Structure formats: structure tokens, C-alpha cells
Amino acid sequence: MTTALRRRPAALGRRVGALCARAGGLSRGLSLRVKIAVLLAAGCALVAVTIGLLIHQSRAAQIASNARESATSQLIRIRQLYELTGQVDHDGTEAALDHPALPEPLRKSAKDGRRSTYLDLSGPDPAVWAARPVGDRVLSVRRPLNTAVDQLHELDGHLVVWGAVVVGLAALGGAGIASRLSRQLRTAAATARRISLGDLDARIGRTPAGRQDEVAELACAVDTMAASLQSRLEAEQRFTADVAHELRTPLTGLHTAAELLPPSRPTELVRDRVAALRTLTEDLLEVARLDANAEEPHLEVLPLDRTVEKILQRCGLAVELDRCEASRGPDPDGTSGTDRTDGTDRANGTRTDGTDRTHGSHETYGTEALVRTDVRRLERIVANLIANARRHGAEPVEVTVDGTSVRVRDHGPGFPERLLEDGPRRFVTGAKERGQGTGLGLTIALGQAQVVGARVTLSNAEGGGALAVVSLPGA
């Protein structure tokens, strides 16, 4: 009976193992919270199955032992009565001589002169047999075990139910613990992302007093790193601002002195270098103001197309201005940019043959795109991008107004990969082939764009050349 009773729990154990293996394969890509909850539930399920198997085996062994002892004692009593009376007592028993349903292994053992027992659980009526030889015949007793087997099945059912309850409670507890841990880790990750985006005041916060777990150590390490990084960056910003302020006064005097020099080639060289140094000082002061978040934009709603055109004219930048159809609009006199009988193109102040090179002649443009921006800061952005394209790229430099975006493209070697990956860095031009410079132009352009709520995207254009796209918020 013991071997037969072990078949069911063994099969159950194999199925549980297969389910655990499948769960391990499905765990890839799950969140930490789900993994911890599943792992804890799987561990509790394994413990519950192990305990259930032990209880089942113990109860099955107890049933088998009691059944064998009961059948043996009954066989002894019936044999004694048979020797006294010569008859088999059938009162409340299934005793018989040479029972036709007697299992063959038990019959053979009795023929060999041994008293034996046999558990038969293969049929719908489980039973225990006991037999011994009586002369040349076999005296046997059969006791049904339906009640005992039903009790064992009922016990197995209770074990499964309570095991499932324990596993469910473990899963809920694991989910609660894992949710707390996951929430703390997500807070740490969000804080790290805020720091990477420039929010140096971001902190995870203090952990409860007396807490010394790994998450608390991580939070402390991230906060310490952020504080150290903030201290170093603020020191660098203060140094930049102090240097710029200290240089401004002597440079003013130097500029005045240079203007008093008599006209000559050396005088021109001195004035040129003084002007370059003054420009660098002003750029440093602007970077310092941007770093300190001291800039306040004066936003107004403007037509982007005409605003960029006026910026180019005001700055004296002789570049090629293109307009996409989405950003063009009619002039106040009802004519478009090239719908002029005298062949004058208002876009760049040059004369054309009366034909727009993109859209043809005498074309009526659509509604002009409106943006909300600061004209002075937009001028600074566009001028810096054009200056950067001329200094580090190659002609022609093209400026295109496309909807609420301004695109500046040159035809040089393009931006270096390191600049595209890490962004512009002050006093670093990125590559020797892009020429010399201070590396402040792109830094200021991106900083001013952030002030007005715009976005500057740097990339390399198809066919060669650097491409900078200024995306402005619409009105």
C-alpha cells in the first residue's frame, strides 16, 4: 500500500516542479515587485508541498500499518476458530478458504508456508489481505479500506486548500514588501534622473531613524553624490561669474585705451583682440546668468517667418533664408514674399528673376505660423547657431523656417559624435576639423532656448553638414 499511496504525491511534486520552471522562464522582463512576490510565493508553495507530502506519507504509512495489523489479528482469530470448529467464521469478515480473488503473490507466499499480508489499491475497492496455509489450503481474510482511503483523500484536500491559503497570504505579504521596496527604488531612480536633467537640489530624503538596510544606504549614497556634484558645479559657476566680472572693468579701460591709439596695422590687431576678449567676457557673464537661473523671458506672440527675417537683417547675416509653405504668409500689401513685379525678394533683400525656387512665381502663401517667444533671446539663439555654422562648418549656411521651427544648416564636416552624444560643453569645440572657438556659442544657444521654453536639436544632415533645429512653442 505504501508504494501505491506514494504515486499521487510524487506526480503532484513533479507537476509543481514543472510549474515552477515555467514561472522562472516567464519572470524575465517582470518588475522587481512582481519577481519578489512570485519568488516568495514559490518558496512558500515549495515548503507547503514538502510539508504536505510528509504529512501524506506519514498518514499513509499509519493507515497501512494499522490495516496490516488488523488483518493479521483477524486472521489469527479465524484460524483458531477453524482449528476448533473446522469451519470458517464469516461473521462480519470476508474470510474464506482458497478465495478465488486472492492476489497471486499472496497465494504463492502462503503456499510456501508463510503468513503474509497484501495491500490491494489498484481497483475501485481498496482492501488489505492476510493469508496463511491451513493444511494444503490457504486461509485468507480481506478487509476493505474504502473509509481509510477516503479519509486520506480528504486529508489531501485539506492540505491543498490550506497550502493555497498560505501561498496566497505569502504572495500578498511579498507584494506588500516588494511594493515598498520598489517604490523606494523608483524614488531613487526618479531623483537620479532629475539630477541628470540639471535639478541639483533634488534629493531622495532622509530615511527613518535606525534604518540600515541596503535601500537606505543607496538613498544616502545618491544624496551624498548629488550634494557633492552640486557643490562642485556651484563652485565652477561662481568661478566663471567672478572671472567675468573681474575682467569686465579692466577690459573696458583696455578698450578705451585701444581706441586712443593712432591708426596703424598694430592698432587694428590690438583692437581686434580686445574686441574678442570683450566678447568672451560677455559670453561668460551670460553663461553665469543662465547657470544661476537669473534670466526672465519677456514672451510675446510673434509671426516666426517675419521675425526671423528681421533678425537676419538686423544682425547683417548674409545667409540663405528658405520658407516652407506652412510658415509663409501674405505681406500686408497682399503680395507674397516673391510676388513682386520688380523681382525683389523680401526674404533676403536680393533681386530674383521673379520665380520662387521652391514653390514657383506669384504664389499666395498660407497662414503664417505664430510662436510665443522672446525676440531678443531668439535673436541670440539664431545668431549663435549661424556663427557656429560659419566658424566650424562651410558655406552655404541655410536658414529655413518650417512651421514653428527654425533650421540652421551648414555644409561642413558636421557635428562630432561625442558632441551629439554628450551635448555641447563650454570651452570644447568637439573636433579639430571644426575649427577653433570657445565652445560657448552652442552652450548659450541651448541655455537661452531653455529660458523661452524652446528646444534645440543637434544632428548631422543627410548629405553632410551640421543641422540645428530650434523648435518653438506655438501661440
Side-chain angles (χ1 to χ4, degrees):
M1 178 180 182
T2 303
T3 303
L5 291 176
R6 286 179 180 173
R7 295 176 181 174
R8 288 172 55 85
L12 179 62
R14 288 193 297 271
R15 291 182 180 180
V16 171
L19 290 176
C20 291
R22 291 182 181 179
L26 294 175
S27 64
R28 299 174 183 174
L30 298 178
S31 65
L32 180 62
R33 177 177 57 184
V34 176
K35 288 181 179 179
I36 292 178
V38 171
L39 182 61
L40 186 57
C44 290
L46 182 60
V47 173
V49 169
T50 302
I51 295 175
L53 290 175
L54 292 176
I55 294 176
H56 177 92
Q57 297 294 348
S58 176
R59 179 56 180 164
Q62 183 181 9
I63 292 176
S65 177
N66 292 339
R68 291 178 186 276
E69 292 178 0
S70 176
T72 301
S73 62
Q74 191 174 32
L75 178 63
I76 293 174
R77 184 180 63 83
I78 293 176
R79 171 185 167 277
Q80 292 174 349
L81 291 177
Y82 178 76
E83 291 180 348
L84 293 175
T85 63
Q87 295 181 352
V88 178
D89 184 11
H90 296 282
D91 187 15
T93 66
E94 294 186 25
L97 288 171
D98 296 330
H99 198 293
L102 184 66
E104 191 60 31
L106 186 59
R107 185 187 303 275
K108 183 178 179 181
S109 177
K111 291 291 186 179
D112 293 338
R114 295 190 302 269
R115 185 181 65 192
S116 306
T117 59
Y118 181 83
L119 291 173
D120 182 12
L121 300 175
S122 58
D125 297 321
V128 57
W129 293 81
R132 60 161 299 151
V134 177
D136 57 350
R137 307 184 70 181
V138 177
L139 178 63
S140 61
V141 174
R142 179 183 180 277
R143 289 182 58 85
L145 296 178
N146 300 78
T147 303
V149 172
D150 290 342
Q151 291 176 353
L152 184 61
H153 291 167
E154 184 178 359
L155 175 63
D156 291 341
H158 287 305
L159 291 175
V160 170
V161 171
W162 286 108
V165 171
V166 171
V167 171
L169 293 176
L172 291 177
I177 297 174
S179 296
R180 181 179 178 184
L181 177 61
S182 178
R183 183 168 56 251
Q184 294 167 346
L185 292 178
R186 290 181 184 275
T187 300
T191 303
R193 283 192 292 268
R194 289 172 56 193
I195 294 173
S196 67
L197 294 176
D199 186 4
L200 300 181
D201 294 323
R203 297 292 185 274
I204 297 177
R206 295 182 178 180
T207 55
R211 182 175 173 183
Q212 299 295 331
D213 59 8
E214 291 80 359
V215 177
E217 293 180 4
L218 174 63
C220 181
V222 171
D223 287 346
T224 302
M225 177 198 68
S228 176
L229 180 62
Q230 182 179 25
S231 177
R232 293 184 181 183
L233 290 178
E234 289 178 349
E236 178 184 340
Q237 294 170 4
R238 285 195 301 269
F239 175 77
T240 303
D242 293 343
V243 168
H245 280 290
E246 293 298 327
L247 288 177
R248 195 172 191 180
T249 301
L251 277 176
T252 302
L254 184 61
H255 175 73
T256 303
E259 293 296 328
L260 297 177
L261 293 175
S264 65
R265 179 57 181 168
T267 299
E268 293 178 1
L269 294 177
V270 170
R271 290 175 179 175
D272 179 71
R273 293 300 88 196
V274 169
L277 192 55
R278 288 191 66 183
T279 301
L280 174 60
T281 303
E282 295 298 330
D283 288 346
L284 288 175
L285 286 172
E286 186 171 359
V287 169
R289 290 193 298 269
L290 291 172
D291 288 340
N293 295 323
E295 298 286 345
E296 291 293 336
H298 300 284
L299 302 178
E300 52 184 327
V301 178
L302 299 169
L304 182 59
D305 181 42
R306 280 176 285 181
T307 301
V308 174
E309 180 181 351
K310 292 178 181 178
I311 289 174
L312 298 180
Q313 293 175 353
R314 186 163 51 247
C315 296
L317 300 173
V319 298
E320 188 175 2
L321 175 62
D322 291 338
R323 294 179 176 89
C324 292
E325 184 176 359
S327 57
R328 301 192 183 201
D331 287 342
D333 59 359
T335 60
S336 62
T338 55
D339 191 11
R340 297 279 301 256
T341 58
D342 59 356
T344 301
D345 188 351
R346 295 183 180 179
N348 50 26
T350 60
R351 294 184 60 84
T352 67
D353 59 358
T355 303
D356 185 278
R357 65 183 184 88
T358 304
H359 298 283
S361 61
H362 303 284
E363 181 174 344
T364 302
Y365 301 140
T367 304
E368 192 169 2
L370 300 178
V371 295
R372 184 180 300 275
T373 188
D374 185 323
V375 178
R376 183 179 66 84
R377 300 183 191 279
L378 178 60
E379 180 177 330
R380 183 69 164 145
I381 296 170
V382 174
N384 276 21
L385 293 177
I386 294 176
N388 182 81
R390 282 183 166 176
R391 181 180 297 115
H392 303 297
E395 296 289 348
V397 176
E398 300 174 353
V399 178
T400 305
V401 178
D402 185 4
T404 58
S405 299
V406 181
R407 302 157 60 92
V408 178
R409 177 189 176 182
D410 62 50
H411 290 76
F415 291 116
E417 292 299 328
R418 183 174 181 180
L419 186 145
L420 295 178
E421 293 176 359
D422 302 335
R425 298 172 59 187
R426 57 195 69 174
F427 303 111
V428 177
T429 58
K432 294 182 179 180
E433 63 270 15
R434 287 188 62 83
Q436 301 297 322
T438 62
L440 296 179
L442 290 180
T443 301
I444 293 174
L446 267 68
Q448 293 290 5
Q450 185 176 3
V451 172
V452 299
R455 184 178 72 255
V456 177
T457 305
L458 305 179
S459 62
N460 289 326
E462 295 182 3
L467 174 64
V469 180
V470 183
S471 302
L472 297 162

